[in-house]
């Protein structure tokens, strides 16, 4: 298993004004994050418009979808938007795709898309990737995978993969998923592994109550049970845990909840300062 250099993203999708949104993008860049990621839901900003604004307000920050519900758009529509955003961002766009988040069917219906069967959504995701790869400046592709079919597609096509596992998943369970993925990918060393960081706090009691809406449960209970998406402790402890996840599981890319962007920055900076692995 080849170790990769660390990479860090910020997941954000809300802003009260355009100035607030572009300020978030500029601050992520100032703090040293590599990429700004946005979900694809009707409760967040429209992904391509928001990412275009973020790219225009920054100079080196990459921008990406985390992840597009491919049932919401035709492959040609995604390719058109991707080509436009690649042009506007000077090649800084990364296309994240998946077969649809839990409860994503309502968004698809509202947008006039075609949800279909799991097999339909897998085929649509493959078609979206093919259309994006055929562009003059193809983007890096992230695939969110949990079921065997999507895992195989990711093993064959993805530059980056994230595993669609429940919020309470432990690091050990993450490592098992990574091992299963590597067993089906003869190009596994070419694929970057991403895991989200829902919260970073000094103690479980410092976790805000509003997190329950994001994780669908009690965040303190999840963190106490060892859920991997919660990093608890000081910056040094968190940095050491992320080093372990890279060494033992191959996870080198960490996408941080935007509400913790400032809190997590010291962890990022420690890892950048001490990392001997280069990109």
């Amino acid at each position: 298993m080849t170790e990769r250099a660390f990479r860090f993203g910020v997941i954000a999708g809300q802003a009260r004004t355009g100035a607030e949104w572009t300020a978030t993008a500029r601050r992520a860049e100032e703090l040293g994050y590599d990429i700004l990621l946005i979900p694809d839901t009707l409760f967040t900003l429209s992904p391509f418009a928001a990412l275009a604004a973020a790219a225009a307000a920054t100079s080196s920050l990459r921008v990406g979808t985390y992840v597009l519900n491919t049932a919401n758009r035709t492959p040609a529509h995604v390719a058109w938007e991707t080509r436009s955003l690649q042009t506007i961002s000077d090649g800084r766009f990364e296309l994240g795709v998946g077969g649809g988040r839990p409860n994503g069917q309502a968004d698809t219906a509202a947008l006039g898309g075609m949800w279909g069967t799991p097999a339909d959504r897998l085929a649509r995701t493959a078609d979206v990737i093919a259309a994006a790869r055929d562009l003059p400046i193809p983007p890096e592709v992230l695939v969110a995978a949990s079921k065997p079919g999507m895992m195989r597609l990711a093993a064959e096509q993805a530059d980056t993969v994230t595993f669609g596992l429940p919020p309470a998943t432990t690091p050990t369970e993450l490592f098992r998923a990574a091992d299963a993925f590597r067993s089906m990918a003869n190009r596994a060393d070419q694929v970057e592994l991403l895991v989200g960081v829902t919260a970073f706090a000094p103690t479980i009691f410092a976790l805000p109550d509003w997190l329950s809406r994001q994780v669908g449960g009690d965040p303190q209970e999840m963190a106490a049970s060892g859920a991997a998406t919660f990093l608890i402790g000081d910056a040094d402890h968190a940095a050491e845990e992320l080093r372990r996840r890279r060494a033992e599981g191959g996870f080198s890319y960490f996408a941080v909840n935007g509400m913790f962007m400032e809190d997590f920055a010291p962890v990022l900076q420690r890892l950048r300062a001490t990392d001997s692995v280069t990109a």
Side-chain angles (χ1 to χ4, degrees), residues 2 36 42 85 119 171 219 259:
T2 303
L36 177 65
L42 291 182
L85 191 44
M259 298 300 291

Side-chain angles (χ1 to χ4, degrees), residues 200-204 231-238 267:
F200 170 54
T203 72
I204 62 171
L231 286 178
I232 305 300
D234 63 15
D236 289 328
H237 176 81
V267 182

Side-chain angles (χ1 to χ4, degrees), residues 244-268:
R244 183 178 79 88
R245 293 184 188 183
R246 183 176 67 175
E248 296 184 23
F251 292 90
S252 59
Y253 181 4
F254 299 92
V256 180
N257 182 339
M259 298 300 291
F260 296 88
M261 176 175 70
E262 297 282 349
D263 297 326
F264 185 83
V267 182
L268 179 160

Side-chain angles (χ1 to χ4, degrees), residues 11 62 177 241 256:
I11 305 168
R62 299 182 69 80
E241 173 59 19
V256 180

